[in-house]
Amino acid sequence: MTRVLFLLLMILPSTLWASKSVDPSVDSSVWSSEYDEYFKKYAARYFGPSFDWRWFKAQAIAESGLNYKATSSSGARGLMQLIPSTYQDIRRDQSHFGELETPVWNVAAGIFYDRQIYRKWRDRPEQERLYLTFASYNAGYGRVLKALKRVKGDVKGWDQIKQYLPRETRAYVERIRRLMKNEPRPIRLVQLTGYLPVFD
């Protein structure tokens, strides 16, 4: 009996650990489609109509599990877990945005904030820009920039800099990638000839 109990104690933690690292795809019916229209609308508005909006749904899953009432210990709120002071900064440019806790405005502001960060990484390949954007959303742009400066050599993408970022940030970006099934999926659903989204 003691031997069986010992074996169970040895196996159980690894089983629990494995289950934490498995996420159903962002397209899975496990995740609500209730807010999909907001992700589609604001991904198209701020990143262009060909951008794959599911990246932002995956981000919201990583942030809040799609719980619009979520509040973190640091005071971040809503689907996209925005800090109230960050939201007030965003509203200086987007004064028509309503309350932070309202799902549509929380999603709109989160994607708008992603776009502001995405613009800062314009010298990177598109897929890397997105990973660096998510990392910056989580850890702060300055912290990611410092990590980038620590990398030696010419190639300075996500895989090279992640070791210099907090564990939480690494897990955050990797979870988004898992939700998108680590493809990495093309950022753009289709290529529209002649269309270039305006970021400035």
Side-chain angles (χ1 to χ4, degrees), residues 21-42:
S21 66
V22 176
D23 273 310
S25 162
V26 72
D27 298 317
S28 165
S29 61
V30 167
W31 305 113
S32 170
S33 60
E34 182 177 359
Y35 309 111
D36 285 5
E37 64 180 298
Y38 305 148
F39 295 116
K40 290 174 185 176
K41 178 178 180 177
Y42 291 101

Side-chain angles (χ1 to χ4, degrees), residues 39-126:
F39 295 116
K40 290 174 185 176
K41 178 178 180 177
Y42 291 101
R45 177 169 297 178
Y46 298 127
F47 283 82
S50 63
F51 204 94
D52 190 343
W53 60 273
R54 291 170 291 193
W55 284 104
F56 303 114
K57 181 176 182 178
Q59 182 182 17
I61 292 167
E63 286 288 352
S64 67
L66 295 181
N67 177 6
Y68 80 95
K69 294 181 178 178
T71 303
S72 76
S73 57
S74 63
R77 298 182 195 165
L79 293 163
M80 301 295 281
Q81 288 292 280
L82 288 160
I83 300 285
S85 59
T86 302
Y87 189 70
Q88 289 309 311
D89 289 343
I90 291 167
R91 285 190 72 189
R92 288 195 189 103
D93 290 326
Q94 305 295 314
S95 58
H96 64 284
F97 284 3
E99 296 299 314
L100 170 60
E101 289 80 6
T102 306
V104 62
W105 301 123
N106 197 279
V107 169
I111 297 175
F112 179 82
Y113 187 46
D114 278 326
R115 186 189 80 164
Q116 289 181 313
I117 301 167
Y118 188 78
R119 289 167 59 188
K120 294 178 179 181
W121 297 114
R122 64 183 68 207
D123 61 332
R124 305 285 155 188
E126 196 171 38

Side-chain angles (χ1 to χ4, degrees), residues 122-182:
R122 64 183 68 207
D123 61 332
R124 305 285 155 188
E126 196 171 38
Q127 190 72 54
E128 294 298 328
R129 281 179 83 179
L130 191 60
Y131 296 152
L132 295 175
T133 296
F134 292 144
S136 300
Y137 190 105
N138 180 265
Y141 173 74
R143 198 165 195 174
V144 177
L145 194 60
K146 282 181 185 175
L148 200 66
K149 289 176 180 174
R150 293 183 65 184
V151 177
K152 303 199 185 323
D154 295 330
V155 180
K156 295 185 178 183
W158 170 246
D159 287 330
Q160 289 74 42
I161 72 158
K162 64 184 179 184
Q163 64 183 312
Y164 301 112
L165 290 168
R167 181 184 300 178
E168 176 193 334
T169 303
R170 295 196 306 267
Y172 175 76
V173 175
E174 293 305 324
R175 183 167 189 213
I176 294 170
R177 292 180 67 182
R178 282 198 311 274
L179 286 158
M180 295 295 280
K181 288 303 179 194
N182 277 327

